Amino acid sequence: MAKGWSHLSVPLPIRVVGLLIVGLSLGLAFPKDALVKNLYTSGTYFPRTIVTFAALFIFFLLAAATAKLILFHKDRAGKMFSLILTIYISMGAISLLYTTAWLAVLSDVPFSLPGQKSAGAGAWVMQVGHTFTHVLSQQPLLQALVGAMLIGWTCASISSLLPVAYGFISAGDMILKFFKKLLWYYPIMIGCLAIGIPMKFGLKGVALYGKGVLWVMIVTCVWVVLMIITARIFTKRTWKQILSYYGAVWPTGFGTGGSYDTLAINIISAEQDLGLDEDVAEVSIVFGTVLNKNCSTMSVLIVTIIAAKMLGIPISMSEILMLIPPVIILGLESPGIPGGAGFFMAPIIAVVLNVPDEAVWITTFVSLFSGLIPMFSTAGNTTDDGMVGALLQDCFPRLIGRTKDVVPARAAHA
């Protein structure tokens, strides 16, 4: 089956969108047909399996990413990688606050649920900390996030534990290869899961999915425009360089739907079109491909509201704000494959929101986080990596050991 699919000339995103439409159509046309119901059920098996092993996968992926940071870039890890990690984490936090502001405009979600008092800013911060700490102390998935970073850092920093660090890296690479090898099944699974949206929720479910796609398109595309303007104001990149880079990388990220599939063209365009030094381009983009999923996390907040509305789960903006800390952490380890953020963030969100049926939540969430949503997300993720490289090169030249003047890309290759 996988071999047959690999020979198809139809790109993966086209297959995903095509089978998504087929699944929605089957659910609408034959909501009570036994065969159609069985097709939907077959699509739920893989997400449920992932949930079973989610804590293990998350632990190894994040421990591997942390160990790579220390081991493979030891000579420059001190200043340059502290800086780039800070930028990616800060960008993740800013993008989620930005998305929350958009959701306050786009959705009708109240700030607090009926019967709950609207706390002031200080009280809200304390509540966020209390909720996150309480969940962290009781839930293995969130414990895996924090523990993985600490253990990965420790093993890579102590010479006697280096074999353990390399073991984490090997395990992380194997997990990513496993998911990449299953990409042939991803469109099929999405098609099967999509049946459940109209089968369970009728036209209302289809309309909510369409609303989610529209919101993701608006929020991510406006973010891209803001990043372009930021790069033009705060870096030495010209309009021609910036637009040439976006013209090459954004459509590629949108078309592939996966950060890893966009990696090669992203590095080449960052050097040739954006005019970044080779070492800066490789560091910011490779590191960003592993750790930066900020546009995916933006989409996750949007899909959370759509899924809650679809399942009739009360949700407030206060709860969305409380999702920001764990979602930032999850953005550091979600695999750069189509829909990867949906697989790995849905279980954590179910825990934080305390949903009544985690299995139903996860299959619904994964169904919604498909089709055009990961395509818009990936396009934003990958181009943000290049913009971070431009900020590094032009705003922090001394910290990254670069003192020569910026040479426009076209002149450099003349």
Side-chain angles (χ1 to χ4, degrees):
M1 178 74 74
K3 188 174 181 180
W5 274 88
S6 66
H7 283 81
L8 289 177
S9 59
V10 181
L12 176 64
I14 302 299
R15 281 181 269 151
V16 170
V17 174
L19 288 177
L20 174 70
I21 294 172
V22 171
L24 293 173
S25 301
L26 286 174
L28 274 174
F30 309 103
K32 297 183 179 181
D33 185 83
L35 177 59
V36 172
K37 288 182 178 180
N38 288 335
L39 284 174
Y40 163 72
T41 302
S42 70
T44 66
Y45 294 147
F46 184 70
R48 288 178 178 178
T49 302
I50 295 301
V51 171
T52 303
F53 298 100
L56 184 66
F57 287 155
I58 289 172
F59 180 84
F60 279 103
L61 284 172
L62 194 52
T66 306
K68 284 180 179 179
L69 167 64
I70 304 302
L71 290 174
F72 296 164
H73 308 288
K74 188 175 297 183
D75 56 335
R76 307 180 71 182
K79 292 183 177 179
M80 184 173 184
F81 286 91
S82 295
L83 176 61
I84 195 171
L85 183 60
T86 299
I87 291 175
Y88 279 127
I89 292 176
S90 300
M91 186 167 65
I94 292 169
S95 64
L96 290 177
L97 291 172
Y98 155 87
T99 305
T100 303
W102 264 111
L103 289 173
V105 175
L106 294 172
S107 73
D108 57 356
V109 174
F111 183 79
S112 59
L113 295 175
Q116 294 181 350
K117 294 182 179 180
S118 297
W124 172 80
V125 171
M126 292 181 63
Q127 179 62 31
V128 170
H130 173 75
T131 300
F132 186 57
T133 303
H134 176 72
V135 175
L136 178 63
S137 66
Q138 296 186 1
Q139 296 298 332
L141 281 174
L142 292 180
Q143 292 168 4
L145 296 180
V146 178
M149 289 189 292
L150 292 175
I151 292 176
W153 187 281
T154 301
C155 293
S157 302
I158 301 175
S159 57
S160 60
L161 296 178
L162 288 181
V164 180
Y166 283 109
F168 280 130
I169 293 171
S170 297
D173 290 342
M174 289 175 62
I175 292 171
L176 292 176
K177 288 180 180 178
F178 167 74
F179 280 101
K180 291 188 75 173
K181 286 184 178 296
L182 285 176
L183 284 182
W184 64 270
Y185 175 66
Y186 179 74
I188 300 173
M189 180 196 70
I190 291 301
C192 292
L193 287 175
I195 293 172
I197 295 176
M199 185 176 71
K200 294 180 178 180
F201 309 105
L203 287 174
K204 175 188 174 183
V206 177
L208 281 172
Y209 173 77
K211 181 181 289 187
V213 172
L214 178 62
W215 287 2
V216 167
M217 181 183 70
I218 292 171
V219 173
T220 57
C221 288
V222 172
W223 174 265
V224 164
V225 173
L226 292 175
M227 288 297 293
I228 290 174
I229 295 172
T230 299
R232 185 65 188 94
I233 294 174
F234 294 102
T235 75
K236 299 178 181 180
R237 305 300 104 185
T238 66
W239 281 116
K240 184 176 182 180
Q241 288 176 306
I242 295 171
L243 295 178
S244 294
Y245 171 74
Y246 270 89
V249 178
W250 197 95
T252 305
F254 184 85
T256 62
S259 297
Y260 292 118
D261 296 325
T262 314
L263 179 60
I265 188 64
N266 201 354
I267 293 175
I268 293 171
S269 182
E271 295 176 13
Q272 296 183 357
D273 297 315
L274 198 56
L276 299 186
D277 287 351
E278 181 179 349
D279 58 339
V280 174
E282 290 183 356
V283 166
S284 65
I285 291 170
V286 171
F287 198 42
T289 298
V290 175
L291 296 180
N292 176 45
K293 305 294 185 301
N294 69 302
C295 286
S296 293
T297 58
M298 291 157 62
S299 300
V300 162
L301 291 190
I302 294 171
V303 171
T304 296
I305 286 183
I306 298 298
K309 284 181 172 293
M310 192 171 288
L311 295 173
I313 299 173
I315 192 168
S316 66
M317 295 306 298
S318 295
E319 291 172 301
I320 292 296
L321 287 167
M322 282 189 288
L323 287 174
I324 290 178
V327 169
I328 290 174
I329 298 174
L330 286 164
L332 301 176
E333 53 77 36
S334 296
I337 60 174
F343 285 118
F344 283 86
M345 296 193 192
I348 298 290
I349 293 172
V351 167
V352 176
L353 294 182
N354 194 28
V355 301
D357 191 328
E358 288 190 22
V360 172
W361 170 270
I362 291 164
T363 54
T364 302
F365 194 98
V366 172
S367 302
L368 293 170
F369 202 95
S370 62
L372 292 171
I373 289 180
M375 295 166 73
F376 279 111
S377 301
T378 299
N381 291 337
T382 52
T383 48
D384 281 352
D385 297 341
M387 294 301 99
V388 169
L391 289 170
L392 282 173
Q393 182 162 314
D394 296 346
C395 299
F396 306 96
R398 295 183 181 277
L399 288 178
I400 64 174
R402 182 181 185 276
T403 57
K404 65 183 181 179
D405 293 335
V406 176
V407 180
R410 302 304 178 190
H413 290 279

